[in-house]
């Protein structure tokens, strides 16, 4: 059986549009003819089903956790061809409520789902379960908005994910004490940031440098800037790319942006999937563009559009 | 070249970028990292004043270096020091007319290879040979021939004006006074 590509959408801050973007990208993939499954892993505040106008889902992840129903059997019809939905359990569990064994079992089941693409919607915050699900993905995606608080949380989220992965890897090499000690005594080593820590570790031995090269170099986060209102907001993604590389030492890909559109809220309230009922909204095209870019691992090119002034006219 | 790749990296441009593109990115990056944009403010402790100073000075340096590189894109002239001893310059002074044959014998006595002239001037050796053999057919317009002779004589430290005054009339005569001037 083929193994589908796993996408995880997180980003730290609440309300940036993670669920909206996940549901819309999933729809875009399904409309292209790919077999797609959405999973609502926001165990504390599951609401992905709402984006498809479903209000009392028949099954949810609590059937999987509590009643041991296989994951494959709790997939709901989203109402859109090729698009299945696994809903979170509303209210009954919070993300800290599942234990290590349950988490491993969920990951195992996710990996064996029969689909081309599996998109996982994560909750806000940087809880370990959230980070672990994020790290499970082939495509790690963060959704942010052009606002200082959202960017602060997003930086923190990306660094936390990197740090957690680094700890996992070092553990498999029996080096977890090294990294823990170094971080505990960081002041004496003049380490004040994650970037310093990485630099210090890489310089400490060839062995460790090789571990970074072989295990961590694939770590690349896709950034989506949601709810943009001005051309300057669109540049945020470009700037984040530069900032993350220069001052966190972490590569990111600017996959796309989507503008603020009141139709989004209207559609949710009238229980109509956005991508189907709003074909004329520019957001539909923007979502398709970011989906394509994530599929191919490319950066969106905005500089030229901005220079030509064509974006300022529409925004 | 490795060091230049580092400069290109800093300016976040590929090595084939034009100076114009580099300048644009330079000013964008400078604005981003010297101001108080939201992307920078949100970095908090990951962006100290020292880090900022260090980054900006590296950026300035990289830009200056690339600007110099791209403004002087021509290869550096590696003019072979021609040994002009007294007897050689006396002999050159005694030459009545700078024909192609004369130019060739001067060059050979100086021990200069056509490849040396090519390396410095980027004039194809074929054309240099044609000048020396007075293959006037190869030069469809006088301006080209003239510019080649200027470079050729400069390389050999000859009196450019005198060579032109001797050589060009022969070319014109061949083309039956029809050549443009
Ligand atoms: N591009 C947009 N234009 C207009 N409104 C938007 C846009 N994206 C999201 N919204 C609005 O923002 C609200 C929050 O979106 P969403 O639920 O997708 O965020 P979230 O990041 O999943 O939140 P949480 O962290 O609570 O899970 C939605 O109710 C929606 O109406
Ligand atoms: Mg959500």
């Amino acid at each position: 059986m083929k193994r589908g590509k796993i996408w995880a959408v997180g980003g730290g801050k609440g309300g940036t549009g993670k669920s909206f973007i996940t549901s819309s990208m999933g729809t875009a993939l399904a409309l292209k003819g790919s077999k797609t499954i959405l999973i609502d892993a926001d165990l504390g505040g599951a609401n992905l089903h709402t984006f498809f106008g479903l209000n009392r889902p028949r099954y949810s992840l609590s059937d999987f956790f509590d009643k041991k129903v296989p994951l494959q059997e709790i997939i709901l019809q989203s109402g859109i061809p090729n698009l299945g939905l696994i809903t979170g359990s509303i209210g009954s569990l919070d993300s800290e409520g599942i234990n290590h064994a349950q988490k491993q079992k969920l990951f195992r089941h996710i990996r064996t789902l029969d689909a081309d693409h599996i998109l996982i919607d994560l909750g806000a915050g940087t809880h370990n379960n959230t980070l672990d699900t994020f790290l499970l993905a082939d495509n790690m995606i963060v959704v942010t908005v052009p606002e200082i608080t959202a960017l602060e949380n997003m930086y923190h989220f990306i660094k936390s994910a990197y740090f957690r992965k680094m700890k996992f890897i070092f553990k498999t090499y029996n080096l977890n004490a090294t990294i823990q000690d170094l971080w505990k005594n960081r002041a004496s080593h003049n380490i004040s940031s994650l970037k310093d820590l990485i630099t210090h570790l890489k310089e400490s031995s060839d062995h460790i440098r090789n571990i970074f090269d072989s295990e961590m170099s694939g770590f690349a986060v896709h950034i989506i800037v949601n709810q943009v209102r001005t051309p300057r907001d669109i540049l945020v993604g470009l700037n984040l790319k530069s900032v993350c590389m220069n001052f966190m030492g972490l590569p990111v890909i600017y996959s796309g942006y989507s503008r603020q559109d009141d139709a989004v809220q209207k559609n949710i309230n009238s229980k109509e999937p956005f991508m189907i009922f709003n074909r004329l909204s520019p957001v539909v095209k923007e979502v398709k563009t970011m989906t394509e870019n994530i599929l191919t691992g490319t950066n969106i090119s905005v500089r030229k559009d901005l220079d030509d002034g064509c974006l300022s006219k529409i925004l | 070249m490795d060091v230049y790749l580092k400069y290109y990296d800093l300016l976040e441009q590929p090595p084939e970028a034009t100076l114009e593109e580099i300048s644009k990115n330079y000013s964008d990056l400078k604005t981003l990292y010297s101001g108080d944009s939201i992307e920078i403010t949100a970095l908090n402790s990951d962006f100290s004043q020292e880090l900022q100073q260090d980054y900006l000075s590296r950026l300035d340096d990289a830009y200056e270096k690339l600007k110099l590189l791209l403004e002087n894109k021509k290869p550096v002239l590696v003019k072979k020091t021609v040994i002009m001893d007294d007897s050689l310059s006396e002999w050159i002074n005694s030459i009545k007319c700078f024909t192609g044959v004369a130019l060739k014998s001067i060059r050979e006595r100086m021990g200069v290879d056509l490849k040396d002239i090519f390396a410095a001037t980027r004039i194809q050796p074929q054309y240099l040979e044609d000048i020396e053999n007075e293959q006037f057919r190869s030069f469809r317009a006088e301006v080209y021939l003239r510019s080649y002779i200027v470079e050729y004589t400069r390389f050999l430290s000859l009196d450019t004006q005198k060579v032109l005054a001797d050589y060009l009339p022969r070319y014109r005569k061949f083309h039956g006074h029809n050549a443009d001037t």
Side-chain angles (χ1 to χ4, degrees):
Chain A
M1 196 175 63
K2 62 172 180 270
R3 155 143 146 44
K5 280 260 178 277
I6 301 175
W7 309 34
V9 182
K13 186 145 186 309
T16 56
K18 297 179 289 294
S19 302
F20 169 65
I21 294 289
T22 310
S23 65
S24 302
M25 289 200 302
T27 308
L29 289 167
L31 291 178
K32 265 168 59 106
S34 302
K35 190 158 187 239
T36 307
I37 297 171
L38 303 178
I39 302 177
D40 191 346
D42 185 354
L43 300 180
N47 61 7
L48 195 60
H49 53 278
T50 319
F51 289 82
F52 298 94
L54 307 168
N55 55 3
R56 264 188 302 273
R58 229 157 29 103
Y59 299 112
S60 76
L61 278 175
S62 43
D63 297 299
F64 172 79
F65 289 126
D66 303 342
K67 301 187 194 145
K68 318 245 181 296
V69 184
L71 202 56
Q72 188 73 40
E73 287 170 28
I74 59 165
I75 302 173
L76 302 173
Q77 293 306 314
S78 69
I80 292 164
N82 295 323
L83 188 63
L85 175 64
I86 295 174
T87 68
S89 34
I90 311 140
S92 73
L93 277 169
D94 61 333
S95 56
E96 293 162 63
I98 62 165
N99 61 37
H100 184 75
Q102 287 175 310
K103 184 166 71 183
Q104 291 309 320
K105 186 179 159 203
L106 176 64
F107 290 177
R108 249 189 347 262
H109 278 246
I110 288 177
R111 286 202 193 93
T112 58
L113 282 176
D114 177 27
D116 299 312
H117 298 285
I118 300 153
L119 277 63
I120 308 174
D121 180 23
L122 299 171
T126 50
H127 186 272
N128 282 345
N129 285 343
T130 307
L131 293 178
D132 289 348
T133 317
F134 188 72
L135 292 172
L136 178 74
D138 303 292
N139 297 326
M140 301 183 286
I141 301 158
V142 296
V143 174
T144 189
V145 294
E147 208 181 273
I148 292 180
T149 47
L151 298 182
E152 282 176 324
N153 290 358
M154 185 209 68
Y155 286 140
H156 182 63
F157 183 83
I158 297 180
K159 284 191 291 184
S160 307
Y162 187 92
F163 189 60
R164 189 155 174 87
K165 172 155 186 180
M166 197 164 94
K167 282 202 296 196
F168 274 138
I169 300 287
F170 274 67
K171 208 166 167 182
T172 63
Y173 286 89
N174 275 324
L175 285 165
N176 43 339
T178 313
I179 184 168
Q180 237 118 34
D181 287 351
L182 196 55
W183 189 242
K184 224 177 274 159
N185 305 314
R186 56 186 180 274
S188 62
H189 293 290
N190 224 345
I191 293 171
S192 64
S193 67
L194 176 63
K195 193 183 181 198
D196 293 344
L197 178 70
I198 297 170
T199 312
H200 191 96
L201 281 168
K202 279 185 180 171
E203 282 166 3
S204 65
S205 79
D206 281 349
H207 177 51
I208 290 182
R209 172 176 286 275
N210 287 338
I211 295 174
F212 271 100
D213 287 347
S214 59
E215 309 268 7
M216 297 302 293
S217 59
F219 186 95
V221 170
H222 299 258
I223 290 188
I224 289 166
V225 183
N226 189 27
Q227 302 184 28
V228 304
R229 292 182 179 81
T230 65
R232 174 62 181 86
D233 289 347
I234 292 172
L235 281 183
V236 167
L238 276 188
N239 291 340
L240 290 177
K241 215 170 123 60
S242 170
V243 167
C244 287
M245 195 63 212
N246 285 325
F247 293 97
M248 289 160 39
L250 305 180
V252 301
I253 299 168
Y254 181 23
S255 306
Y257 61 87
S258 134
R259 72 190 68 190
Q260 160 75 32
D261 186 347
D262 291 341
V264 172
Q265 208 172 340
K266 275 193 212 121
N267 273 132
I268 296 172
N269 288 338
S270 51
K271 304 184 173 180
E272 293 158 343
F274 181 82
M275 296 292 280
I276 306 286
F277 285 81
N278 261 294
R279 287 171 209 269
L280 291 181
S281 166
V283 173
V284 168
K285 193 155 171 273
E286 287 159 357
V287 168
K288 285 183 177 165
T289 303
M290 65 179 76
T291 309
E292 268 325 297
N293 285 341
I294 292 171
L295 278 170
T296 56
T298 21
N299 283 285
I300 189 168
S301 56
V302 291
R303 191 75 83 178
K304 202 179 156 292
D305 296 355
L306 286 171
D307 288 346
D308 295 347
C310 41
L311 285 168
S312 40
K313 266 176 242 151
I314 24 174
L315 279 165
Chain B
M1 212 47 208
D2 261 7
V3 61
Y4 280 102
L5 289 180
K6 235 173 75 188
Y7 299 148
Y8 280 107
D9 262 3
L10 251 168
L11 284 147
E12 301 176 15
Q13 286 288 314
E16 62 272 17
T18 63
L19 182 55
E20 202 189 349
E21 290 163 337
I22 290 170
S23 302
K24 171 87 174 67
N25 243 38
Y26 170 67
S27 92
D28 286 348
L29 287 170
K30 212 162 157 104
T31 313
L32 171 64
Y33 289 106
S34 15
D36 53 357
S37 55
I38 57 169
E39 299 90 341
I40 297 304
T41 310
L43 266 179
N44 297 322
S45 60
D46 280 340
F47 193 66
S48 64
Q49 201 136 28
E50 297 92 77
L51 283 173
Q52 181 184 34
Q53 290 310 324
D54 171 63
Y55 173 82
L56 287 174
S57 68
R58 279 187 298 127
L59 188 72
D60 285 342
D61 180 54
Y63 178 64
E64 287 308 317
K65 298 276 170 45
L66 286 181
K67 210 172 122 190
L68 265 176
L69 175 79
L70 293 172
E71 279 173 350
N72 306 303
K73 198 118 194 209
K74 275 194 175 170
V76 200
L77 285 191
V78 274
K79 183 166 170 177
K80 215 171 176 179
T81 30
V82 172
I83 302 133
M84 271 281 222
D85 60 37
D86 283 345
S87 67
L88 185 58
S89 70
E90 224 179 286
W91 173 69
I92 290 172
N93 283 336
S94 74
I95 292 174
K96 292 269 156 2
C97 183
F98 287 98
T99 62
V101 179
L103 290 172
K104 184 172 180 174
S105 46
I106 294 169
R107 177 180 62 77
E108 284 173 345
R109 276 188 68 166
M110 287 177 170
V112 173
D113 205 272
L114 286 182
K115 282 198 217 95
D116 300 332
I117 305 182
F118 165 71
T121 64
R122 296 278 134 191
I123 300 171
Q124 292 299 324
Q126 182 60 54
Y127 286 127
L128 299 170
E129 247 176 75
D130 290 344
I131 289 174
E132 294 180 347
N133 297 333
E134 301 201 347
Q135 285 294 328
F136 294 136
R137 238 179 245 102
S138 303
F139 307 100
R140 296 208 290 128
E142 194 184 301
V143 279
Y144 299 125
L145 176 62
R146 187 186 178 88
S147 71
Y148 294 163
I149 291 177
V150 169
E151 303 241 28
Y152 181 98
T153 53
R154 279 198 191 137
F155 189 87
L156 296 180
S157 310
L158 302 176
D159 182 343
T160 303
Q161 289 312 315
K162 185 154 189 332
V163 174
L164 285 172
D166 286 347
Y167 193 96
L168 288 181
R170 303 167 71 78
Y171 171 81
R172 288 179 200 142
K173 202 169 154 198
F174 172 83
H175 278 284
H177 302 276
N178 286 332
D180 60 343
T181 35

